[in-house]
Amino acid sequence: MPEGMKRLLLLLMLPWAVTAQAEPIWLSEDADGAARVHLYLFWSPTCPHCGEARKFIEPLPEQYPWITLHSGNLVADREQATRYTAMAAALGQEARSVPAIFVCGNMLVGWDGEGLIGAELMRLAEQCRDEGVAATGELMPAGLGMEGLSLPLFTLIIAGMDAFNPCAFFVLLFLLSLLVKAGSRRRMLLIGATFVLVSGLVYFLFMAAWLNLFLLLGGMPWISAAAGALALGIGLFGIKDFLTAMRGPSLSIPASAKPRLFARMRGLLSAERLPLLMLGTITLALAANSYELLCTAGFPMVYTRTLTLHELAPAHYYAYLLLYNLIYITPLMLIVMLFAWSLGARKLSLEEGRLLKLLSGVMMGGLGLVLLLMPELLNNALTGLGLLALALAVTLMGRLWMRRIPPV
């Protein structure tokens, strides 16, 4: 066949080939009618993490006869690169890095070790086999069931816990207490809502920085351990603040910074022109949040690390960050509306501050331990619910304990 004709046929067949490669076999039947799960691994010989992934994945068919492995070297075989691109596109993903693993309509990228992506790979494969839709190639849509609900529910739990931040409550309640003296609901709503929205924006940017750091370094096995150790340390500081009535080293707003914050808040009372009022509120929010981040760095860090353990499109990562921050600012916005409606003054008491520290400290310490010891559990919605229940129970016991002993 003439060379030109061959090229023409290849061009005509290319769309069909890409379409065919975008529809791989996920499940099949063996000779006995049992389900076989097909794994697709794409790798490069120059990628160090690929070598670690291959050491774990390539022996799987010998250990688990129900697994069939399709291994593709993207450097040696250009058809494998085309296949990788097509399979990723079919799932709404991008073929941007290796190692990449496909299992039953799910795509995993990177390698954090056997206890992370390796464990998630085996969980998906075993779930796929157990569902047992053999030979038809028809699976339940990826992301349905408990697994599909786990990340939104985890977001709700962690953001909800983070929302009860003693540092944020302290600053906002003090600001609103000062504004009560002005007797203006309009001014209170304007200043309070602006303060909360700017705080939410700062928090979003802070979390985006964590997200991009983990996306850049997330393939390194020590990242989850380092994040877990830091979260555990932050949690222990919170528990220490409860036990010592905020005495000693703390991650709260430093006492030296409070006079400057108070001065800025009182300055808002004298601002008469709207542009100056808005500028002063934005400046106050930026200053306050620079200190509050010391108080609450743990939750955003753990959440964004958990987020990067899921292979999502870039827009989906930021959508989850937006959801997190909307949940985070909701209690603060409700406080603003309540104050504006009642024109009442309310401050965060020492007892309430200690209990909030204990609540967040137990939750943060628990998340840190999970990241250190069993990070794969963060893929299960029940993990967040269990940690929340534990934190609430410990906080209730802490409140009873405080009432039984003399004030510290």
Side-chain angles (χ1 to χ4, degrees):
M1 181 182 295
E3 187 66 23
M5 183 62 71
K6 289 182 180 179
R7 292 179 180 176
L8 178 59
L9 287 175
L10 287 174
L11 288 173
L12 292 173
M13 292 174 62
L14 182 58
W16 176 86
V18 170
T19 303
Q21 289 173 352
E23 299 177 356
I25 297 173
W26 299 123
L27 277 167
S28 63
E29 274 187 348
D30 61 18
D32 299 325
R36 296 187 65 84
V37 176
H38 292 252
L39 305 183
Y40 297 82
L41 170 65
F42 297 98
W43 53 276
S44 165
T46 60
C47 160
H49 298 303
C50 294
E52 298 172 8
R54 291 176 63 197
K55 289 179 183 177
F56 175 80
I57 296 173
E58 290 183 347
L60 289 179
E62 296 182 7
Q63 302 171 26
Y64 306 95
W66 49 270
I67 289 179
T68 297
L69 176 64
H70 308 268
S71 182
N73 183 339
L74 301 183
V75 175
D77 188 346
R78 299 305 300 172
E79 290 184 3
Q80 293 295 337
T82 302
R83 186 179 184 84
Y84 175 26
T85 302
M87 289 178 65
L91 297 177
Q93 307 291 341
E94 297 180 7
R96 58 188 178 187
S97 57
V98 288
I101 309 147
F102 293 82
V103 51
C104 292
N106 296 273
M107 176 178 171
L108 305 173
V109 177
W111 190 255
D112 277 352
E114 297 181 12
L116 294 166
I117 291 182
E120 177 67 0
L121 165 65
M122 291 306 302
R123 184 188 69 80
L124 290 171
E126 289 172 355
Q127 174 190 318
C128 187
R129 180 195 58 170
D130 293 342
E131 288 176 351
V133 191
T136 66
E138 297 176 357
L139 299 177
M140 291 178 62
L144 293 182
M146 178 63 92
E147 290 73 21
L149 294 175
S150 62
L151 190 52
L153 184 56
F154 186 78
T155 302
L156 175 63
I157 293 170
I158 301 301
M161 287 293 302
D162 197 7
F164 292 91
N165 175 2
C167 295
F169 276 24
F170 169 79
V171 174
L172 182 61
L173 289 173
F174 188 88
L175 172 62
L176 294 174
S177 297
L178 289 177
L179 292 172
V180 165
K181 299 177 182 179
S184 171
R185 288 188 172 88
R186 178 176 176 274
R187 174 170 287 211
M188 183 177 290
L189 277 173
L190 181 62
I191 293 178
T194 301
F195 180 88
V196 170
L197 291 175
V198 173
S199 298
L201 176 61
V202 171
Y203 217 57
F204 179 88
L205 296 175
F206 175 65
M207 294 183 69
W210 273 117
L211 174 69
N212 284 281
L213 177 64
F214 286 134
L215 287 174
L216 180 64
L217 303 176
M220 300 181 182
W222 55 269
I223 291 295
S224 292
L230 184 56
L232 178 59
I234 293 172
L236 291 176
F237 260 104
I239 296 172
K240 188 278 303 176
D241 284 344
F242 166 77
L243 295 174
T244 62
M246 310 290 193
R247 296 190 178 119
S250 176
L251 297 179
S252 302
I253 298 177
S256 59
K258 290 181 179 179
R260 292 193 294 274
L261 288 177
F262 296 159
R264 289 179 184 271
M265 294 179 196
R266 293 188 179 96
L268 292 178
L269 297 178
S270 60
E272 297 181 357
R273 301 180 62 183
L274 182 60
L276 291 178
L277 181 66
M278 297 299 293
L279 180 61
T281 304
I282 293 172
T283 304
L284 171 64
L286 294 175
N289 278 274
S290 66
Y291 295 113
E292 288 178 19
L293 292 179
L294 296 173
C295 222
T296 188
F299 282 114
M301 179 191 64
V302 171
Y303 177 75
T304 50
R305 177 54 187 154
T306 304
L307 202 58
T308 57
L309 294 179
H310 296 74
E311 180 60 27
L312 304 174
H316 293 171
Y317 283 125
Y318 289 99
Y320 272 111
L321 292 190
L322 180 61
L323 173 62
Y324 186 104
N325 280 271
L326 288 175
I327 297 170
Y328 174 76
I329 67 172
T330 295
L332 300 177
M333 196 64 78
L334 290 174
I335 289 174
V336 171
M337 291 188 291
L338 179 62
F339 264 68
W341 176 70
S342 64
L343 286 179
R346 179 76 162 83
K347 293 183 179 179
L348 190 68
S349 68
L350 177 61
E351 177 181 347
E352 291 168 337
R354 288 174 65 187
L355 289 173
L356 284 176
K357 281 283 189 177
L358 178 61
L359 181 69
S360 62
V362 173
M363 186 75 177
M364 180 56 54
L367 287 169
L369 284 174
V370 171
L371 262 180
L372 275 171
L373 303 177
M374 294 174 290
E376 65 274 9
L377 291 181
L378 291 176
N379 291 316
N380 192 325
L382 296 179
T383 301
L385 289 173
L387 289 173
L388 176 59
L390 174 64
L392 290 172
V394 172
T395 303
L396 177 60
M397 289 188 290
R399 186 170 183 270
L400 295 174
W401 177 72
M402 289 174 66
R403 293 189 171 185
R404 288 176 176 270
I405 64 172
V408 178

